Amino acid sequence: MTIKKGDIVKKLEEIVGREWIIKEREYMESNLRDETPDVLRPHAAEDLILVKPSSTKEVSQILKAANQMRVPVFPVGGRTGLVGGCIPIEPGIILSLERMNNLEVDKENLMAIAEAGVTLGDLIKAVEDADLFFPLHPGDEGAQIGGLISTNAGGVRAVKYGVMRNYVKGLEVVLPTGEILNFGGRLIKNNTGYDLMHLIIGSEGTLCVITKAVIKLYPKSGYSVTLVLPFDSRRDAIRTVPKILQSGVIPLAVEYVGIKELNRAAEHLGEEWPVQEVDAQLIIILSGSSEDEVYSDCERISKIAEENNAGEALIAETREEQERILRIRSNMYTALKSDMVDILDVTVPMNKLSDLMDEIDKIAEKYGIYLPVYGHVGDGNLHIHLMKENNEVPRYIEEVRDEIYRAGINLGGVITGEHGIGRIRVEKIGGILTEKEINLMKEIKRIFDPNGILNPGKILPSN
Ligand SMILES: Cc1cc2nc3c(=O)[nH]c(=O)nc-3n(C[C@H](O)[C@H](O)[C@H](O)COP(=O)(O)OP(=O)(O)OC[C@H]3O[C@@H](n4cnc5c(N)ncnc54)[C@H](O)[C@@H]3O)c2cc1C
């Protein structure tokens, strides 16, 4: 599709002012990519206009104009996505909400009211300053509220408080046709008709543009500790996880990590991982209102771990020690990235995690390759990395990916628990959802976006 750039630029200048439009490619480079590994990342189209509105009204005017002129619009957030969801793959408008970053913390209602361009880092800081807590922590604090909601982000701290969907209580959105809608609010309960708000959460910028959100907060937990539990065998580590969750202790996070990847992540940061003796490790974050409560949970977990052949636990108590552990864990992706072809986020029922790991080992053995695996085992969610071999993309990479997907599905799981479909997994969705499900989704897309201008080519196959 070619666009009449002159006409749309003129219209956009009327809406946001000349200084908030960028037409030159060299000044929009960072908006043409996300964190998807280089090998897979889709190419951005030529003929793009980057626009930065400052208000919901401006977003509405931009979408209305784009819809009338049939110009594609690609919403971008912090561009930390891993599936090419925000990449402008057709000529059109890149809609950056970075200027819309107003943030209010409502202490009385335990809610934050955040515009779409507020970053995760800014939200965490403002909430902490108000002596409250926003637990969600996907690895990159540059992600923005609009992106976190559009991808229904998860991350390491979803075991106790859930994924982004569990925090969103209200949304302000703009439809591709320009109408502004509000759902929910500073409310805990709302049963008014079909739940359109939850349809929008996780819709990856294909149904509407999110401009503002009401987000649930929690009281600051008085006390937290991070445990690192070493195991001789991975099977022992993984089978301990459901036992911990069945015990009544609900940790903030339960992560499985391997020493090889941890050391690489630590080295990348110029740091050292504190537990070296064994390969398989669980990182467990516990929080509670008092030291006694957390220590009692800690003791219960240590006992369960011991019964399942764990070695001596490392208990990190100071904020610095705990932050260092989380920092190294969060850096695992970045440290592997230069040799990475893809990062999968297959999710299975918790009691099938060991079986999935075994299947992945068999696949690695069959192809003679290194498949690093770690992740959010407390949520049944593993990150499996497909790596280059001798600096090259292995020719059988598609087969490896498909075999891992098949293993996950055969165990009652899904191919993505957090990162979504975006652009790079569109052709996979046809083999996974039924025709009826895809047709229903296409109908929903058509109702929201009759001219298909919003983030085309994402989630759903075109035919
Ligand atoms: C090191 C690292 C670790 C990560 N760890 C995790 C993890 O543990 N768990 C997890 O879930 N994710 C993780 N991610 C992925 C990523 O951080 C999340 O997907 C994040 O939610 C994306 O937010 P963003 O603002 O960067 O969105 P972007 O990447 O900019 O966009 C993502 C999608 O949201 C849409 N979008 C953005 N803003 C809007 C808006 N205002 N309205 C409508 N649509 C919009 C885009 O069109 C696109 O489809 C990780 C990424 C990195 C780099």
Side-chain angles (χ1 to χ4, degrees), residues 34-35 74-82 84-87 95 97 116-117 137-140 142-156 203-206 208-211 329-331 333-334 376 381 383 417-419 422 454-455 458:
D34 64 3
E35 288 292 327
F74 298 90
V76 298
R79 303 174 308 276
T80 68
L82 297 167
C86 68
I87 310 270
L95 184 69
L97 293 127
H137 201 276
D140 192 321
Q144 295 177 4
I145 292 299
L148 291 164
I149 297 173
S150 299
T151 57
N152 186 26
V156 290
S203 64
E204 300 188 55
T206 61
C208 53
V209 174
I210 293 162
T211 46
R329 160 64 191 91
S330 293
N331 195 53
Y333 168 78
T334 313
H376 318 308
N381 180 199
H383 290 314
E418 347 191 87
H419 301 156
L454 197 61
N455 214 2
K458 310 297 167 60

Side-chain angles (χ1 to χ4, degrees), residues 240-261:
T240 305
V241 177
K243 291 179 182 157
I244 291 171
L245 299 178
Q246 285 153 15
S247 75
V249 176
I250 308 175
L252 203 55
V254 184
E255 296 284 301
Y256 169 82
V257 282
I259 192 69
K260 188 169 170 187
E261 294 77 34

Side-chain angles (χ1 to χ4, degrees), residues 351-362:
N351 65 347
K352 299 292 180 195
L353 269 170
S354 265
D355 295 344
L356 179 61
M357 290 263 199
D358 290 346
E359 290 302 317
I360 293 164
D361 280 351
K362 279 187 212 154

Side-chain angles (χ1 to χ4, degrees), residues 359-379:
E359 290 302 317
I360 293 164
D361 280 351
K362 279 187 212 154
I363 296 166
E365 203 177 310
K366 174 174 166 188
Y367 291 93
I369 50 175
Y370 165 52
L371 287 174
V373 182
Y374 59 82
H376 318 308
V377 281
D379 310 316

